């Protein structure tokens, strides 16, 4: 009996010690570049003895919870020296690390090993990241580094061809991509009608593309999310860098506002090829310019603010008769606050404006249109434990749509002023996302987004019999515009139509062994805005319109299954994904629809459905002097609009037809080789199935006019698209200790001069009177040279 009492007393005495030994503590902090004090995204914080770790978030913050004890910490990031140190964790600990750039990096990668490392344990899939160093190494047309063109080398990403704006993801339209710059929405991602992107590579810090399994914090588009963050600026010392090319130049300046705490960044870019046009007696103008700005200030370890902006414009003019101006403007204020070592928050106030202006002097009128939005976001990330993390928040956006405002350009013009009806809308969302490590082999991410959309009151809303703005003429088998039976005017505070949707998200990962895993994901997403265009890629003249009484929101359901494996450590990696997605309420246009200056766009729109499915393969060599990847996509993208009643034919007789974004085969091979300190080389090889098109298949004469008849929609294709690009970078003095450093970049785009068809049109030969097909090609072989510098 006495021995039992002794054991009990010993347990009572030792219990606090035992409990203390089992107690968990949190290690947290931020990681920055020692040279610029810029926060670093995606840095690995590894605890080898626990086989666990974490990465920094979009603002350089990390948090990891561990049992009390002594640990070796490894902090690693590509291109920087790895920090290894031992810490004793007996209480919550804040550790800020500053990484030093490595002088040499023989194991340089194209898809960066740390930011884009294939993490077979994480449930996140269908995500690609590209470093700016990677993008700058790629061969490009006319020597202008292009973020958008670079991501089209990834599996599942294409565009409509050379000179086409936007990009397409897994068979979706360009309007179905959510493009964010410092969390602000960008509505047009291209300069000069698609030849270049609006993103200045010198000002960009991080790029991430989500194609599936999209986290619940994102919404409003149904195909993908391209999330881009700008640099914050150097808070330690003043620094400048730039580049001079054949058609454009750029310059960036950054420095401290208060050393170690605040910084500024200003980056400008402009093209100037139009300055040489008068030498060839051409009175035309085509140029762009953009400006990136950012102010950052860190008050203390718990509070930081950021004020960023972007302003870009394109100008295209033909003599004195035509001028086109368009571009994006963005302002964003953000406040980061750390409530505790486990709870990080960010508040964003965002203004975004897309403007389109057209001046037609030879006709005598000016046209303006655009879209503005005011956006409030509040996001929180809660690091509850190593096995469980939460992200939650809310988002509200107010939209004002200007479909078009026509005014006479002079007093002598015979044009009367005409204003298309402005539209207004309010979009709200709340979301929650959980990342849960259930066991050593099985992890899951699950959450939901609840979104609402309210179409607000406007002037002159048409009223139709049976609420049907499109009627079917049975006698001739075509759709026609319904005649309005009246109009209604609403107060701005009125709600004309409302929508609410729950958007569940789920992703899972099962680790087969240390080198491979299986992943699966499902997501539902809702898109309330629609781009009105009947071209294959967006143009500045396209108009955005909100969902409402006659236009329903698009609903996407996507499932994906993937296999992921690494070889020889991380020397090689393989990603194989299959996907299937369906879209409800994909808008389609009636034959002969007129979209420009149409104040009753509902009269030419029908709601249909779409689907896409495919297989993606990405094989990468991540380390060594030669690095690169092979990407292959086999896919199909279709849509259909069946008749609403048994007597209606629908679009294309209600049959499925391939979309203009359908590319059955898409192959890209990208490689980079570092010969020595002075010379490095890179190359891209691309092959894509030709774009689907509709050709005439006959003609008939009516009242003396020759009228063509057409085959079924998109039943023909342009010739296959392929090209080979090469580039060489020469650093004349790589070991220089001078402040000023420079390098030359030489490139050849389309080295074997393939005349890829951008379009095929038909005309009557003036000599023979026979019909003939004419191929339009944008680029042949294009050499380029540019000089980059920094000091």
């Amino acid at each position: 009996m006495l021995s039992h009492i002794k054991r009990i007393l010993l347990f009572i005495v030792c219990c606090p010690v035992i409990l203390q030994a089992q107690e968990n503590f949190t290690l947290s902090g931020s990681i920055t570049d020692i040279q610029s004090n810029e926060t670093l995204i995606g840095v690995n914080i590894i605890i080898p003895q626990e086989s666990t770790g974490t990465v920094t978030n979009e603002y350089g913050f990390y948090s990891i919870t561990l049992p009390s004890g002594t640990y070796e910490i490894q902090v690693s990031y590509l291109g920087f020296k790895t920090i290894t140190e031992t810490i004793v964790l007996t209480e919550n600990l804040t550790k800020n690390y500053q990484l030093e750039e490595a002088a040499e990096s023989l194991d340089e990668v194209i898809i960066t090993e740390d930011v884009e490392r294939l993490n077979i344990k994480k449930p996140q899939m269908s995500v690609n990241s590209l470093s700016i160093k990677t993008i700058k190494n790629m061969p490009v047309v006319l020597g202008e580094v292009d973020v958008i063109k670079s991501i089209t080398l990834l599996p599942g990403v294409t565009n409509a061809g050379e000179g086409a704006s936007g990009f397409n993801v897994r068979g979706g339209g360009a309007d179905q991509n959510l493009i964010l710059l410092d969390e602000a929405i960008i509505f047009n991602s291209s300069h000069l009608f698609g030849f270049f992107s609006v993103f200045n590579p010198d000002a960009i810090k991080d790029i991430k593309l989500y194609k599936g399994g999209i986290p619940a914090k994102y919404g409003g588009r149904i195909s993908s999310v391209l999330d881009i963050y700008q640099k914050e600026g150097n808070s330690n010392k003043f620094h400048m860098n730039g580049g001079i090319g054949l058609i454009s130049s750029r310059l960036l300046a950054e420095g401290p506002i208060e050393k170690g705490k605040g910084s500024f960044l200003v980056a400008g870019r402009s093209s100037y090829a139009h300055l040489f046009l008068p030498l060839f007696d051409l009175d035309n103008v085509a140029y762009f310019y953009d400006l990136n700005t950012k102010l950052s200030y860190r008050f203390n370890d718990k509070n930081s603010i950021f004020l960023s902006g972007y302003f870009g414009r394109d100008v295209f003019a033909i003599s004195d008769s035509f001028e086109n101006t368009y571009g994006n403007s963005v302002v964003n204020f953000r406040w980061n606050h750390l409530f505790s070592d486990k709870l990080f928050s960010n508040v964003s106030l965002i203004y975004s404006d897309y403007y389109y202006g057209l001046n037609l002097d030879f006709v005598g009128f000016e046209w303006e249109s655009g879209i503005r939005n005011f956006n409030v976001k509040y996001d929180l990330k809660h690091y509850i434990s190593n096995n469980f993390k939460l992200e939650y928040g809310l988002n509200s956006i107010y939209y004002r749509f200007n479909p078009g405002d026509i005014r006479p350009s002079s007093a002598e013009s015979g044009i009367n002023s005409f204003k298309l009806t402005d539209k207004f809308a309010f979009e709200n969302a709340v979301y929650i996302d959980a990342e849960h490590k259930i066991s050593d082999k099985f992890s899951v991410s699950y959450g939901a987004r609840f979104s609402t959309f309210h179409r607000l009151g406007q002037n002159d809303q048409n009223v139709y019999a049976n609420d049907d703005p499109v009627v079917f003429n049975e006698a001739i088998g075509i759709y026609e515009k319904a005649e309005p039976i009246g109009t209604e005017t609403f107060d701005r505070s009125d709600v004309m139509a409302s929508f609410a949707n729950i958007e569940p998200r789920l992703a899972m990962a099962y680790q087969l062994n240390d080198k491979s895993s299986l992943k699966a994901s499902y997501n539902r997403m809702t898109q309330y805005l629609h781009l009105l265009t009947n071209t294959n890629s967006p143009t500045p003249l396209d108009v955005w319109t909100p969902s409402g009484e006659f236009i329903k929101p698009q609903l996407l359901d996507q499932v994906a299954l993937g296999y992921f494996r690494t070889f020889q450590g991380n020397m090689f990696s393989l990603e194989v994904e299959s996907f299937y997605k369906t879209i409800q309420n994909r808008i389609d246009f009636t034959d002969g629809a007129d979209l420009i200056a149409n104040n009753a766009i509902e009269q030419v729109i029908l709601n249909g459905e779409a689907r896409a499915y495919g297989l993606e393969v990405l094989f990468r060599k991540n380390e060594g002097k030669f690095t690169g990847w092979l990407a292959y996509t086999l896919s199909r993208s279709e849509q259909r609009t069946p008749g609403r009643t048994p007597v209606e034919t629908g679009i294309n007789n209600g049959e499925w037809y391939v979309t203009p974004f359908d590319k059955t085969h898409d192959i890209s091979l990208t490689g980079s080789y570092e010969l020595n300190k002075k010379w490095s080389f890179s190359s891209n090889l691309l092959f894509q199935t030709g774009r689907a098109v509709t050709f005439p298949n006959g003609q008939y004469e009516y009242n003396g006019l020759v009228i063509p008849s057409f085959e079924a929609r998109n039943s023909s294709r342009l010739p296959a698209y392929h090209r080979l690009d090469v580039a060489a970078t020469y650093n004349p003095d790589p070991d220089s200790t001078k402040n000023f450093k420079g390098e030359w970049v030489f490139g050849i785009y389309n080295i074997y001069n393939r005349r890829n068809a951008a379009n095929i049109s038909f005309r009557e030969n003036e000599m023979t009177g026979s019909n003939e097909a004419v191929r339009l090609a944008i680029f042949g072989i294009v050499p380029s040279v540019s000089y980059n510098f920094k000091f």
Side-chain angles (χ1 to χ4, degrees):
M1 180 72 178
L2 184 62
S3 62
H4 287 298
I5 294 174
K6 286 182 178 179
R7 290 192 187 99
I8 293 171
L9 292 174
L10 182 63
F11 176 78
I12 293 173
V13 172
C14 295
C15 185
V17 178
I18 295 171
L19 292 176
Q20 182 179 3
Q22 295 176 339
E23 191 172 357
N24 292 332
F25 297 104
T26 298
L27 173 67
S28 64
S30 61
I31 300 179
T32 58
D33 181 343
I34 195 172
Q35 295 294 326
S36 65
N37 211 32
E38 178 105 17
T39 57
L40 300 175
I41 302 174
V43 178
N44 283 334
I45 301 92
I46 306 296
I47 318 295
Q49 67 200 71
E50 295 291 317
S51 298
T52 189
T54 188
V55 296
T56 54
N57 69 2
E58 294 87 349
Y59 299 94
F61 176 78
Y62 75 93
S63 177
I64 187 169
T65 301
L66 300 164
S68 63
T70 302
Y71 297 97
E72 180 184 277
I73 307 294
Q74 294 179 358
V75 182
S76 64
Y77 192 54
L78 182 77
F80 290 79
K81 295 179 180 178
T82 297
I83 293 177
T84 301
E85 74 170 10
T86 300
I87 64 166
V88 178
L89 196 63
T90 57
E91 60 181 353
N92 292 335
L93 181 63
T94 299
K95 289 282 292 183
N96 298 325
Y97 292 97
Q98 289 193 314
L99 299 186
E100 182 181 354
E101 191 171 350
E104 296 181 13
S105 181
L106 295 179
D107 293 336
E108 197 168 301
V109 300
I110 284 189
I111 295 185
T112 61
E113 182 182 355
D114 288 328
V115 179
E116 305 168 49
R117 173 178 292 177
L118 180 63
N119 191 333
I120 61 174
K121 294 183 178 181
K122 280 189 171 292
Q124 184 65 66
M125 62 184 298
S126 305
V127 177
N128 295 110
S129 298
L130 288 176
S131 70
I132 288 299
K133 185 177 182 67
T134 298
I135 293 173
K136 288 184 174 181
N137 284 340
M138 292 179 178
V140 289
V141 63
L142 297 171
E144 185 64 30
V145 176
D146 195 316
V147 170
I148 300 298
K149 296 294 189 297
S150 300
I151 65 173
T152 61
L153 298 172
L154 298 170
V157 187
T158 63
N159 65 5
E162 291 168 331
S165 60
F167 59 97
N168 308 106
V169 176
R170 291 183 170 177
D175 64 312
Q176 296 173 341
N177 303 313
L178 178 64
I179 303 174
L180 301 174
L181 179 64
D182 275 353
E183 302 182 9
I185 300 172
I186 300 296
F187 286 95
N188 189 323
S189 61
S190 299
H191 280 309
L192 296 182
F193 306 101
F195 287 107
F196 311 106
S197 79
V198 300
F199 304 110
N200 184 341
D202 289 345
I204 299 304
K205 176 180 180 178
D206 185 71
I207 301 170
K208 188 171 290 184
L209 176 68
Y210 297 85
K211 300 180 293 186
I214 297 174
K217 69 178 180 179
Y218 299 110
R221 304 292 187 275
I222 58 175
S223 271
S224 74
V225 177
L226 180 61
D227 200 2
I228 300 177
Y229 281 88
Q230 294 187 115
K231 293 179 179 178
E232 295 163 10
N234 193 323
S235 64
N236 288 335
K237 61 181 180 180
F238 182 77
H239 169 79
M240 295 185 73
N241 66 273
I244 302 172
L246 295 177
I247 66 166
S248 67
S249 291
R250 61 191 190 278
L251 183 66
L252 178 145
E254 56 183 338
I257 298 174
E258 180 181 343
K259 189 170 183 179
K261 299 190 73 174
S263 63
F264 73 89
L265 179 145
V266 179
R269 186 173 58 148
S270 179
S271 64
Y272 40 70
H274 66 286
L275 299 177
F276 303 101
L277 294 180
L279 299 177
F280 304 95
D281 292 327
L282 295 175
D283 194 19
N284 301 333
V285 172
Y287 65 91
F288 71 86
Y289 59 90
D290 51 39
L291 180 69
N292 298 76
T293 61
K294 196 164 189 177
L295 300 175
S296 307
Y297 193 84
R298 184 185 181 96
F299 290 97
N300 49 47
D301 286 343
K302 292 184 179 294
N303 294 279
S304 299
I305 60 172
F306 308 88
L307 180 63
S308 58
Y310 168 85
F311 179 81
R313 281 294 183 266
D314 283 71
V315 178
F316 176 68
I318 299 177
S319 189
D320 295 325
S321 59
F322 170 91
E323 183 175 335
N324 180 204
T325 304
Y326 64 94
N328 302 277
S329 301
V330 164
V331 179
N332 182 5
F333 173 79
R334 285 173 291 159
W335 171 36
N336 289 174
H337 177 67
L338 194 61
F339 286 100
S340 70
D341 52 13
K342 291 188 176 184
L343 183 58
F344 178 92
S345 71
N346 178 71
V347 178
S348 298
L349 305 176
I350 305 167
Y351 169 79
S352 178
D353 174 42
Y354 174 66
Y355 167 83
Y356 176 84
L358 185 64
N359 188 350
L360 297 175
D361 280 344
F362 69 96
V363 180
F365 75 86
E366 298 174 353
W367 161 289
E368 288 185 353
S369 65
I371 176 173
R372 294 179 182 176
N373 72 71
F374 301 88
N375 189 350
V376 179
K377 295 173 77 265
Y378 189 35
D379 303 294
L380 299 101
K381 188 162 187 177
H382 202 163
Y383 301 82
I384 295 175
S385 72
N386 260 10
N387 295 330
F388 193 76
K389 301 178 181 66
L390 279 179
E391 287 191 67
Y392 45 91
L394 54 86
N395 183 202
S396 292
I397 308 176
Y398 173 77
Y399 296 99
R400 179 184 183 274
F401 302 85
N402 174 15
D405 187 1
I406 300 174
R407 299 186 301 271
S409 58
S410 65
E412 294 77 22
S413 172
I415 301 295
N416 295 322
S417 296
F418 176 67
K419 179 74 174 71
L420 299 181
T421 303
D422 287 346
K423 299 177 176 67
F424 306 90
F426 196 36
E427 182 176 354
N428 304 286
V430 294
Y431 73 89
I432 185 168
D433 235 341
E435 186 176 327
H436 190 182
K437 182 181 177 183
I438 296 176
S439 69
D440 287 340
K441 289 183 175 293
F442 185 59
S443 297
V444 62
S445 173
Y446 48 89
R449 182 182 183 91
F450 177 68
S451 62
T452 63
F453 189 84
H454 305 285
R455 178 73 176 271
L456 303 180
Q458 67 178 57
N459 298 327
D460 301 327
Q461 169 70 15
N462 287 336
V463 178
Y464 300 94
N466 303 317
D467 289 330
D468 191 357
V470 182
V471 295
F472 184 72
N473 188 325
E474 294 184 42
I476 56 178
I478 64 171
Y479 288 95
E480 297 177 337
K481 300 176 182 179
E483 286 296 327
I485 58 175
T487 60
E488 287 184 282
T489 296
F490 298 85
D491 292 334
R492 185 71 52 82
S493 59
D494 293 338
V495 176
M496 298 168 55
S498 292
F499 305 92
N501 287 280
I502 297 176
E503 306 171 28
R505 316 288 170 88
L506 175 66
M508 298 176 289
Y510 181 76
Q511 187 176 351
L512 300 174
N513 51 49
D514 290 340
K515 296 181 179 180
S516 62
S517 67
L518 290 175
K519 298 187 182 184
S521 69
Y522 164 78
N523 62 269
R524 162 165 277 214
M525 302 188 74
T526 307
Q527 179 167 335
Y528 298 103
L529 306 188
H530 312 267
L531 185 66
L532 302 178
T533 177
N534 52 12
T535 60
N536 296 315
S537 66
T539 69
L541 193 58
D542 298 334
V543 174
W544 289 85
T545 193
S547 297
E549 182 180 359
F550 305 113
I551 303 177
K552 299 177 183 178
Q554 299 178 72
L555 301 175
L556 169 130
D557 292 282
Q558 178 175 220
V559 293
L561 179 67
Y563 173 74
F564 303 80
R565 181 177 174 84
T566 60
F567 306 88
Q568 299 181 25
N570 197 50
M571 176 72 75
F572 301 95
S573 61
L574 174 68
E575 303 175 39
V576 181
E577 291 191 34
S578 61
F579 67 90
Y580 183 87
K581 64 183 185 180
T582 61
I583 300 172
Q584 303 174 45
N585 304 323
R586 178 60 172 163
I587 63 174
D588 207 344
F589 304 105
T590 60
D591 291 330
D594 54 323
L595 305 182
I596 298 176
N598 189 339
N599 210 24
I601 198 67
E602 67 274 4
Q603 294 177 341
V604 295
I605 287 178
L606 293 173
N607 289 306
E609 59 182 330
R611 66 186 181 192
Y613 46 92
L615 176 72
E616 300 171 355
V617 180
L618 180 62
F619 181 74
R620 308 182 297 189
K621 185 177 186 296
N622 298 315
E623 300 174 1
K625 284 199 168 188
F626 176 77
T627 56
W629 72 81
L630 172 66
Y632 173 68
T633 306
L634 173 67
S635 63
R636 189 165 182 85
S637 172
E638 301 173 307
Q639 71 181 78
R640 73 169 177 178
T641 306
R644 299 167 297 180
T645 66
V647 299
E648 291 189 8
T649 60
I651 303 297
N652 198 54
N653 292 320
E655 301 293 330
W656 288 100
Y657 64 94
V658 296
T659 69
F661 331 118
D662 177 70
K663 302 288 181 70
T664 307
H665 301 283
D666 180 16
I667 305 171
S668 60
L669 178 62
T670 301
S672 178
Y673 179 71
E674 185 181 348
L675 180 64
N676 51 43
K677 292 182 179 180
K678 290 189 174 184
W679 284 99
S680 62
F681 302 91
S682 59
S683 179
N684 303 326
L685 177 64
L686 291 83
F687 175 89
Q688 294 177 354
T689 300
R691 176 166 48 87
V693 291
T694 306
F695 287 148
N697 59 2
Q699 64 184 38
Y700 59 92
E701 189 171 326
Y702 179 76
N703 287 341
L705 298 175
V706 176
I707 300 175
S709 61
F710 291 88
E711 60 189 3
R713 279 199 185 186
N714 293 342
S715 56
S716 295
R717 290 188 180 272
L718 296 178
Y721 179 98
H722 54 87
R723 73 171 200 269
L724 172 65
D725 312 325
V726 296
T729 301
Y730 174 64
N731 187 340
D733 193 3
D735 297 321
S736 173
T737 58
K738 297 179 181 179
N739 289 331
F740 186 92
K741 296 181 181 180
E743 65 178 16
W744 291 92
V745 180
F746 308 93
I748 303 178
Y749 178 90
N750 194 1
I751 193 170
Y752 55 79
N753 198 30
R754 164 74 174 177
R755 306 295 293 181
N756 287 298
N759 188 33
I760 291 180
S761 60
F762 294 83
R763 68 185 184 191
E764 182 180 296
N765 187 294
E766 295 181 358
M767 301 293 293
T768 65
S770 301
N771 293 332
E772 62 182 6
V774 180
R775 174 192 297 213
L776 171 65
I778 304 295
F779 291 120
I781 183 172
V782 182
S784 64
V785 60
S786 59
Y787 179 73
N788 300 321
F789 59 88
K790 60 181 179 180
F791 58 91

